[in-house]
């Protein structure tokens, strides 16, 4: 078969595009590539579940097939994909339904599952195998991508009737590696369930170890509402791009229809400020210069803040249940923040939970999420990490943040997450965002302090009793033998236990009385205590000044 | 003594059980052994513990573990006494190195450094020596001379004749109190010689026979057993003379023998030898034996420093002869080894000792 030089060129360009942008799209490094692939498939399943209102049950299996080669199988129960869309959804790049939408969303921009199938194909040369059960029709086929045309290649398709409702994808992957670390698949899935407590995930690791992350909440979150962007959150560039994609025939209509909080009165005000621009011209006439002028003018006017009810936080109670379910900590404290606006026009909300005292520890003490998606990479460059790091933990009785059993959960919810890069693993270090996240963390940390104070007290008590009681058996044995009365051992033991209980009881009574007095004294001297704190602060300052 | 120690242990057990029955915290009293409670008693002439007492009690967070451990030691020692078996303090530690129970993640003892001070607690609290509790200490020291002992040990009853110990001498055991009794002591005094080599020299000369004495070497710093052995001989009316190098180490050996040590201040009554005298070598010997002037060694910094310190010790400064001797050392900054007395001929040492002892030329 003769090789068409043109198609070869095109093939090259699509493959080249992917390869060149691979890093940006999360395919940098073997471990990260595998996590990205798992992320793409799981996000698809979770989104599908939300859309059709099904509680997701996701199954993921990884099998080693050689050096840096794995087979992945992902299966969900989220309604499947009809035959008609199967190719488009899985065998065509940038064909997802999420691209160019102004909505709170999980996934990467459209690179999604087809990007993973592409990755599979270019690293192993093998197509993926798919089984989709949609409305009692089960389709099984191989899916590859014709890279020259960027079209799906579907082969060996069979169609049967059956009960299965969902999607199963099996793909071979090269140049990836499984690692049980803070960057690995296990941690990713664990955190995914933390942020999506309505989902159940079963994971079989390459060493055949089976992990079950059970569901904690039985309510499917409402699908996110698509919204118009607020005019204050728009840049000149956004404006030019938007203007090429819309149906309106005049600039005035374009502004009023495509952006929220832009009334016809506001359009008039803008027109008055910008007599040089003809608002009756088609939006395509907007060039960079005019767009820039328009945005400048926008910022001189007052606008009603954007609606914040479109945000879909996980919810305080759901986060608590999820943490309880997965980490099983002794104590959970949470923030309760209302939505905020950044850049004047983009609504967002921060959800913070602090879990204290767990044995099945997390790899990461700071668990970052953007719209329920775990952010495992680029922690150092992330505004959420920065906010956690600047907290004075000692104030909250957390004397050793690095070593105490504590985890901080931060979910950043927004229709537009200000990522630092296309890799989407770090949130920009923007001052107003960091300040809000800090406030949320401090709000959650306050009850932790109270709890730890209480624990220390209880620990002292229980260990005091324990210290005595653990020696009672040995002591009773030795004493009875020492006095040559071995038969008295049990009586001595009982006597010692009574003695300990009685004595410890007396000590505790005394302590309680003391604490009660101290409490009353504190209540009476509340103002004095604050005054002392200030006094100390001043002293520190003076010392530094010297 | 063995039976006495056993009775004391039984009494302690009975007392503790009585306290539990009365629902008070079981406790026993011991004497503080820290430096602050060690005094030099002018009256008796040795270091001893003062009157500061401490109560060891179970119902105290800081003491619970130690209390339990001490009673475990007491019970273990009681078993040794009943069985008539001896061991070392390390052997005792291993006997008690077990877990406190399946559900308790804690061992009775983690290290021997935990059990050693508790043994001392028990010795002080019960006024017994560890040897009385069948705990052996390291054996060091050799004796020969005009004494006979009956040694009841391991089911055997052996007569030990101090005159028939050949070239090696009788090795002084750890415990000279239990199952060991003097049958006969013909000797007129005890001579303690710092170095083993010097002892061998004098033994070869049969010094103990010619001088009718007991010849002892502690081989350096004296062990408990060795000090106790000398103490028992002195209790039979024998005077004791000590022969060491004229240097910091030699003086230290002498003064430990005489007045006891800080570490064992609680046992001074049984171990110290306040009536003992120092026979040599002294700096002032040089004026009587002029060959010694050529055999001196330059004193080391430690010797000088030690001499300066010693002059100020209250138990030394009251002895004018010692002050004069130490001043001589500080002036000349020289020291002398006892071996130097072999300079003229090997048996000169014997002559030197005979002469000094007969003429009673001692330092106190």
């Amino acid at each position: 078969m003769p090789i068409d030089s043109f198609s070869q060129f095109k093939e090259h360009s699509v493959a080249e595009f992917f390869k060149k942008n691979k890093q940006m799209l999360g395919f940098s490094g073997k471990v990260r590539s595998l996590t990205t692939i798992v992320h793409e498939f799981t996000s698809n399943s979770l989104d599908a579940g939300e859309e059709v209102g099904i509680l997701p049950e996701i199954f993921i299996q990884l099998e080693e097939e050689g050096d840096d080669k794995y087979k992945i199988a992902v299966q969900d129960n989220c309604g499947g994909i009809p035959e008609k869309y199967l190719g488009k959804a899985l065998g065509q790049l940038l064909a997802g339904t999420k691209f160019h939408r102004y909505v709170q969303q999980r996934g990467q921009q459209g690179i999604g599952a087809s990007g993973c199938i592409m990755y599979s194909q270019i690293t192993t040369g093998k197509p993926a195998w798919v089984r989709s059960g949609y409305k009692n029709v089960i389709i099984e086929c191989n899916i590859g991508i014709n890279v020259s045309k960027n079209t799906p290649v579907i082969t060996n398709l069979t169609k049967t009737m059956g009960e299965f409702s969902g999607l199963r994808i099996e793909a071979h992957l090269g140049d990836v590696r499984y690692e049980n670390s803070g960057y690995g698949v296990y941690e990713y899935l664990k955190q995914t369930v933390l942020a999506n407590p309505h989902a159940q995930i079963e994971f079989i690791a390459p060493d055949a170890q089976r992990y079950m992350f059970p569901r904690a909440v039985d309510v499917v979150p409402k699908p996110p509402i698509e919204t118009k962007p607020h005019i204050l959150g728009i840049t000149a560039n956004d404006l030019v791009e938007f203007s090429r994609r819309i149906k309106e025939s005049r600039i005035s209509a374009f502004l009023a229809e495509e952006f929220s909080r832009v009334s016809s009165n506001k359009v008039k005000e803008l027109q008055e400020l910008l007599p040089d621009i003809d608002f009756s011209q088609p939006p395509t006439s907007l060039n960079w210069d005019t767009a820039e002028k328009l945005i400048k003018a926008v910022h001189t006017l007052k606008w009603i803040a954007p609606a914040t009810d479109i945000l879909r936080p996980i919810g305080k109670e759901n986060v608590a249940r999820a943490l309880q379910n997965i980490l099983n900590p002794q104590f959970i404290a949470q923030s309760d923040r209302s939505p905020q606006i950044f850049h004047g026009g983009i609504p967002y909300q921060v959800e913070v939970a602090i879990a204290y005292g767990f044995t099945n520890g997390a790899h990461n003490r700071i668990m970052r999420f953007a719209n329920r998606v775990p952010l495992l990479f680029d922690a150092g460059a992330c505004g959420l990490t920065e906010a956690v790091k600047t907290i004075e933990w000692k104030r909250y009785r957390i004397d050793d943040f690095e070593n105490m059993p504590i985890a901080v959960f931060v979910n950043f919810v927004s229709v537009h997450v200000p990522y630092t890069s296309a890799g989407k693993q770090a949130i920009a270090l923007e001052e107003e965002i960091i300040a809000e996240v800090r406030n949320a963390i401090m709000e959650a940390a306050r009850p932790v302090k109270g709890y730890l104070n209480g624990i220390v007290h209880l620990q002292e008590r229980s260990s005091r009793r324990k210290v005595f009681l653990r020696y009672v058996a040995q002591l009773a044995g030795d004493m009875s033998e020492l006095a040559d009365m071995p038969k008295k051992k049990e009586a001595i033991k009982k006597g010692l236990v009574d003695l300990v209980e009685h004595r410890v009881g007396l000590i505790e009574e005394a302590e309680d009385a003391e604490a009660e007095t101290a409490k009353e004294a504190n209540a009476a001297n509340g103002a004095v205590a604050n005054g002392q704190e200030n006094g100390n602060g001043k002293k520190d300052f003076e010392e530094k000044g010297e | 003594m063995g039976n006495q120690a056993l009775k004391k242990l039984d009494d302690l057990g009975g007392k503790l059980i009585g306290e539990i029955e009365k629902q008070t915290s079981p406790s026993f009293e011991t004497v503080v052994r820290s430096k602050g409670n060690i005094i030099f008693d002018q009256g008796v002439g040795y270091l001893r513990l003062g009157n500061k007492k401490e109560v060891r009690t179970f119902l105290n967070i800081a003491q619970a573990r130690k209390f339990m451990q001490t009673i475990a030691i007491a019970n273990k020692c009681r078993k040794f006494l009943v069985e008539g078996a001896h061991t070392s303090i390390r052997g005792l530690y291993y006997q008690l190195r077990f877990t406190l129970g399946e559900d308790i993640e804690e061992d009775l003892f983690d290290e021997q450094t935990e059990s050693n001070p508790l043994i001392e607690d028990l010795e002080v609290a019960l006024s017994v020596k560890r040897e009385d509790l069948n705990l052996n200490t390291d054996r060091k020291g050799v004796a020969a001379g005009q004494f006979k002992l009956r040694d009841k040990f391991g089911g055997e009853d052996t007569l030990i004749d101090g005159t028939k110990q050949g070239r090696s001498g009788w090795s002084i055991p750890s415990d000279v109190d239990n199952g060991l009794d003097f049958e006969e002591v013909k000797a007129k005094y005890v001579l303690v010689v710092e170095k083993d080599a010097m002892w061998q020299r004098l033994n070869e000369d049969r010094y103990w026979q010619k001088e009718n004495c007991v010849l002892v070497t502690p081989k350096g710093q004296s062990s408990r057993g060795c000090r106790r052995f000398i103490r028992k001989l002195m209790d039979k009316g024998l005077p004791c003379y000590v022969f060491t190098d004229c240097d910091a180490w030699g003086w230290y050996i002498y003064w430990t023998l005489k007045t006891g040590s800080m570490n064992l201040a609680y046992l001074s009554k049984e171990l110290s030898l306040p009536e003992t005298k120092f026979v040599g070598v002294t700096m002032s010997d040089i004026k009587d034996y002029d060959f010694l002037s050529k055999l001196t060694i330059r004193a080391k910094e430690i010797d000088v420093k030690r001499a300066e310190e010693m002059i100020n010790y209250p138990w030394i400064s009251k002895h004018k002869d010692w002050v004069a001797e130490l001043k001589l050392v500080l002036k000349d900054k020289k020291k002398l080894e006892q071996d130097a007395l072999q300079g003229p001929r090997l048996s000169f040492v014997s002559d030197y000792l005979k002469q000094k002892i007969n003429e009673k030329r001692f330092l106190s």
Side-chain angles (χ1 to χ4, degrees):
Chain A
M1 202 166 122
I3 297 162
D4 183 338
S5 64
F6 184 63
S7 77
Q8 197 180 25
F9 167 75
K10 277 173 82 181
E11 176 179 350
H12 211 140
S13 73
V14 174
E16 208 64 23
F17 168 83
F18 186 81
K19 278 180 192 162
K20 272 190 180 163
N21 295 288
K22 211 162 70 154
Q23 264 79 359
M24 281 185 3
L25 299 171
F27 291 96
S28 61
K30 292 170 182 174
V31 176
R32 183 165 178 174
S33 294
L34 188 57
T35 303
T36 298
I37 289 162
V38 169
H39 156 74
E40 294 294 355
F41 286 140
T42 5
S43 291
N44 268 2
S45 295
L46 291 169
D47 284 340
E50 259 167 44
E51 268 165 48
V52 294
I54 287 175
L55 289 168
E57 275 166 29
I58 303 171
F59 167 88
I60 293 156
Q61 182 168 19
L62 285 172
E63 288 168 279
E64 205 165 349
E65 292 194 314
D67 273 356
D68 297 336
K69 285 191 166 69
Y70 292 84
K71 182 186 170 190
I72 186 172
V74 183
Q75 182 174 318
D76 67 38
N77 63 336
C78 300
I81 302 174
E83 186 184 354
K84 202 170 135 189
Y85 297 111
L86 205 52
K88 241 187 174 174
L90 300 174
Q92 194 170 10
L93 243 58
L94 310 175
T97 50
K98 297 190 235 170
F99 205 42
H100 296 315
R101 280 176 72 188
Y102 206 69
V103 60
Q104 180 187 327
Q105 58 191 10
R106 274 199 184 85
Q108 307 268 10
Q109 289 185 344
I111 194 73
S114 29
C116 300
I117 284 167
M118 168 78 113
Y119 184 87
S120 152
Q121 191 173 308
I122 63 175
T123 55
T124 65
K126 291 175 188 161
W129 178 85
V130 173
R131 169 197 275 167
S132 172
Y134 178 76
K135 294 194 172 161
N136 295 331
V137 179
I138 298 172
I139 292 162
E140 292 183 344
C141 62
N142 288 332
I143 291 192
I145 297 175
N146 179 332
V147 268
S148 61
K149 295 178 187 153
N150 189 19
T151 52
V153 180
I154 296 184
T155 51
N156 300 345
L157 188 136
T158 62
K159 214 188 275 191
T160 50
M161 300 295 285
E163 292 288 292
F164 177 62
S165 170
L167 187 68
R168 183 183 176 93
I169 301 173
E170 293 179 9
H172 302 273
L173 307 168
D175 215 21
V176 291
R177 187 172 298 157
Y178 179 79
E179 194 179 276
N180 192 4
S181 72
Y183 304 113
V185 170
Y186 171 81
E187 184 67 16
Y188 177 82
L189 293 174
K190 182 175 180 176
Q191 293 196 22
T192 298
V193 179
L194 278 177
N196 298 275
H198 65 291
Q200 171 188 300
I201 296 184
E202 184 182 350
F203 171 51
I204 297 176
D207 60 2
Q209 178 76 40
R210 178 179 170 274
Y211 301 98
M212 188 72 187
F213 301 105
R215 171 179 299 126
V217 177
D218 280 335
V219 180
V220 186
K222 283 185 207 148
I225 301 168
E226 190 162 358
T227 181
K228 294 172 187 171
H230 191 280
I231 191 85
L232 282 172
I234 293 299
T235 64
N237 185 46
D238 293 334
L239 202 62
V240 175
E241 271 188 24
F242 271 135
S243 68
R244 302 297 184 270
R245 287 208 310 266
I246 42 86
K247 51 188 192 299
E248 288 87 3
S249 52
R250 292 154 178 262
I251 292 177
S252 54
F254 164 60
L255 292 173
E257 292 299 314
E258 295 298 322
F259 301 98
S260 78
R261 306 300 196 212
V262 184
S263 61
S264 51
N265 279 338
K266 282 284 170 194
V267 175
K268 270 181 205 154
E269 279 180 51
L270 280 173
Q271 178 70 83
E272 279 162 23
L273 284 170
L274 301 162
D276 296 348
I277 302 172
D278 184 357
F279 275 30
S280 62
Q281 288 296 305
T284 43
S285 70
L286 278 171
N287 59 26
W288 183 273
D289 280 344
T290 47
E292 206 169 23
K293 279 181 196 157
L294 193 62
I295 292 299
K296 241 180 198 168
V298 160
H299 281 268
T300 63
L301 295 179
K302 287 207 155 130
W303 301 90
I304 300 172
T308 53
D309 57 358
I310 48 152
L311 294 175
R312 291 274 174 270
I314 306 167
K316 204 171 164 182
E317 196 180 322
N318 291 345
V319 171
R321 282 197 195 170
L323 286 170
Q324 203 65 60
N325 189 24
I326 301 299
L327 293 182
N328 192 23
Q330 290 159 3
F331 185 71
I332 297 169
Q334 290 174 275
S335 68
D336 198 357
R337 308 291 296 174
S338 28
Q340 309 285 322
I341 312 282
F342 71 93
H343 290 183
I346 304 172
Y348 74 106
Q349 191 174 349
V350 177
E351 291 177 288
V352 169
I354 298 178
Y356 179 85
F358 39 82
T359 42
N360 32 348
H363 277 295
N364 303 324
R365 312 196 138 253
I366 306 172
M367 292 183 282
R368 302 170 293 130
F369 302 85
N371 292 338
R372 297 175 182 244
V373 173
L375 308 179
L376 299 189
F377 299 90
D378 305 337
C382 182
L384 304 184
T385 314
E386 180 66 18
V388 176
K389 292 250 159 101
T390 56
I391 300 289
E392 277 180 62
W393 287 104
K394 286 198 174 132
R395 276 197 187 178
Y396 303 97
R397 242 191 190 274
I398 298 158
D399 295 328
D400 185 359
F401 182 78
E402 295 302 319
N403 293 307
M404 284 171 80
I406 187 161
V408 181
F409 172 106
V410 186
N411 184 31
F412 186 92
V413 185
S414 180
V415 290
H416 174 78
V417 180
Y419 294 108
T420 52
S421 68
K424 299 200 164 185
Q425 289 291 321
I427 289 171
L429 294 158
E430 295 200 22
E431 241 169 74
E432 52 185 331
I433 291 174
I434 292 178
E436 169 62 12
V437 177
R438 269 177 60 87
N439 285 338
I441 296 170
M442 290 192 282
E443 198 174 294
R446 258 165 246 140
V448 175
K449 181 186 180 179
Y451 174 74
L452 289 179
N453 277 334
I455 290 195
V456 170
H457 186 60
L458 282 177
Q459 271 177 348
E460 277 167 5
R461 287 198 164 183
S462 82
S463 74
R464 184 185 294 140
R465 194 173 254 107
K466 254 190 231 156
V467 162
F468 293 127
L469 290 179
R470 74 198 324 195
Y471 299 146
V472 159
Q474 177 70 32
L475 192 54
D478 282 325
M479 277 185 179
S480 60
E481 287 173 29
L482 192 60
D484 208 9
M485 302 186 249
K487 283 182 186 162
K488 273 201 164 181
K489 183 182 170 180
E490 286 310 312
I492 294 170
K493 193 170 160 186
K494 194 184 167 295
L496 279 169
V497 171
D498 290 348
L499 202 55
V500 168
E501 290 297 344
H502 179 67
R503 179 63 65 96
V504 171
L506 286 180
I507 295 172
E508 284 178 3
E509 267 175 41
E511 274 178 358
D512 286 343
E514 203 178 303
E516 209 46 51
T517 325
K519 231 185 224 171
E520 282 161 20
N522 271 346
N525 299 333
V528 176
N530 279 335
Q532 276 171 345
E533 221 174 78
N534 289 338
N536 287 341
K538 202 177 163 195
K539 199 178 149 213
D540 283 346
F541 180 73
E542 277 164 4
E543 274 169 6
K544 272 176 202 160
E546 288 167 17
Chain B
M1 191 69 195
N3 282 333
Q4 256 184 30
L6 192 60
K7 184 166 184 312
K8 283 180 175 180
L9 289 169
D10 282 354
D11 290 349
L12 174 65
K15 170 185 136 46
L16 297 174
I17 289 171
E19 283 165 343
I20 294 168
E21 282 166 353
K22 276 183 275 166
Q23 284 290 289
T24 56
S25 179
S27 51
F28 62 87
E29 202 175 61
T30 179
V31 184
V32 178
R33 296 190 309 281
S34 65
K35 251 187 177 170
N37 196 37
I38 296 174
I39 52 171
F40 178 70
D41 187 328
Q42 297 273 8
V44 292
Y46 52 75
L47 292 164
R48 65 166 177 83
L49 296 183
N51 298 319
K52 280 190 215 156
K53 300 253 166 83
E54 265 179 317
V55 175
R56 303 273 191 253
T57 189
F58 177 56
L59 279 184
N60 175 319
I61 278 280
Q63 294 185 14
R65 175 171 162 87
K66 282 187 181 171
F67 183 87
M68 177 262 320
Q69 289 173 321
T70 312
I71 303 307
I73 291 173
N75 185 33
K76 193 52 91 175
C77 289
R78 185 185 183 278
K79 279 191 183 134
F80 296 154
L81 289 171
V82 171
E83 290 164 13
H86 295 71
T87 185
S88 61
I89 54 174
R90 186 147 187 84
L92 171 79
Y93 158 66
Y94 274 113
Q95 285 258 306
L96 293 173
R97 230 191 105 177
F98 50 76
T99 168
L100 285 171
E102 273 175 25
D103 47 343
I104 307 173
E105 275 183 25
E106 188 176 326
D107 287 349
L108 184 51
F109 283 100
D110 294 324
E111 290 177 49
Q112 201 191 327
T113 50
E114 267 186 302
S115 56
N116 289 354
L118 298 182
I119 294 169
E120 288 184 13
D121 262 6
L122 206 56
E123 293 179 76
V124 176
L126 300 179
S127 318
V128 295
K129 294 194 305 296
R130 66 186 57 173
E131 290 83 354
D132 303 327
L133 299 172
N134 281 14
L135 296 174
N136 289 331
T137 50
D138 276 352
R139 214 157 31 102
K140 211 174 89 191
V142 172
Q146 306 288 8
F147 65 91
K148 280 181 186 151
L149 284 164
R150 194 157 286 284
D151 185 356
K152 295 190 184 109
F153 182 71
E156 287 280 322
D157 187 338
T158 318
L159 186 71
I160 292 162
D161 185 344
T163 64
K164 296 198 162 47
Q165 298 297 325
R167 66 189 66 194
S168 56
W170 177 65
S171 180
I172 302 167
S174 154
D175 181 8
V176 293
D177 283 301
N178 300 295
L180 197 74
D181 295 294
F182 283 107
E183 188 87 356
E184 178 190 279
V185 180
K186 277 195 194 161
K188 293 287 175 277
Y189 65 86
V190 183
L191 178 65
V192 181
V193 178
E194 174 186 343
K195 289 174 184 166
D196 191 28
M198 184 56 74
W199 184 91
Q200 292 182 43
R201 177 85 281 284
L202 293 167
N203 186 39
E204 194 177 8
D205 276 359
R206 295 183 79 74
Y207 181 90
W208 46 266
Q209 190 173 42
K210 292 172 189 161
E211 281 292 295
N212 193 19
C213 69
V214 178
L215 185 65
V216 176
T217 177
K219 300 190 189 178
Q221 186 62 268
S222 180
S223 68
R224 299 161 61 119
C226 185
R227 288 162 69 184
R228 182 70 194 135
F229 175 69
I230 301 166
R231 178 71 260 167
K232 285 183 80 172
L233 285 167
M234 291 179 84
D235 287 346
K236 293 201 169 291
L238 274 65
C240 172
Y241 312 121
V242 177
F243 177 37
T244 72
D245 287 345
C246 173
D247 64 11
W249 185 233
W251 303 322
Y252 183 51
I253 290 169
Y254 172 68
W255 284 101
T256 300
L257 283 168
K258 190 178 173 80
T259 61
S261 66
M262 293 268 193
N263 286 342
L264 297 178
Y266 65 97
L267 292 174
S268 283
K269 191 172 177 233
E270 303 206 45
L271 298 183
S272 64
L273 319 167
E275 319 93 304
T276 194
K277 303 280 186 203
F278 189 75
V279 66
V281 188
T282 64
M283 268 299 148
S284 40
D285 281 336
I286 295 179
K287 68 177 192 299
D288 299 318
Y289 309 94
D290 44 344
F291 72 90
L292 283 175
S293 64
K294 290 171 194 157
L295 302 175
T296 57
I297 307 171
R298 185 195 297 273
K300 285 182 181 164
E301 204 176 309
I302 175 143
D303 299 312
V304 175
K305 214 180 140 205
R306 183 84 188 146
E308 281 169 352
E309 285 169 9
M310 284 171 67
I311 281 190
N312 295 316
Y313 288 157
W315 56 92
I316 295 180
S317 62
K318 67 170 186 170
H319 299 295
K320 294 214 168 70
D321 47 358
W322 265 102
V323 173
E325 167 72 10
L326 289 168
K327 277 187 176 161
L328 210 55
V329 170
L330 288 172
K331 181 174 143 275
D332 294 349
K333 299 219 166 27
K334 298 259 168 68
K335 63 182 193 177
L336 270 169
E337 285 194 280
Q338 54 182 190
D339 313 79
L341 288 159
Q342 298 176 77
R345 58 193 152 76
L346 293 183
S347 59
F348 185 81
V349 192
S350 299
D351 298 346
Y352 163 87
L353 289 167
K354 261 185 242 175
Q355 193 179 12
K356 282 196 87 171
I357 290 167
N358 286 336
E359 294 171 11
K360 298 200 186 309
R361 279 157 49 201
F362 306 123
L363 293 180
S364 26

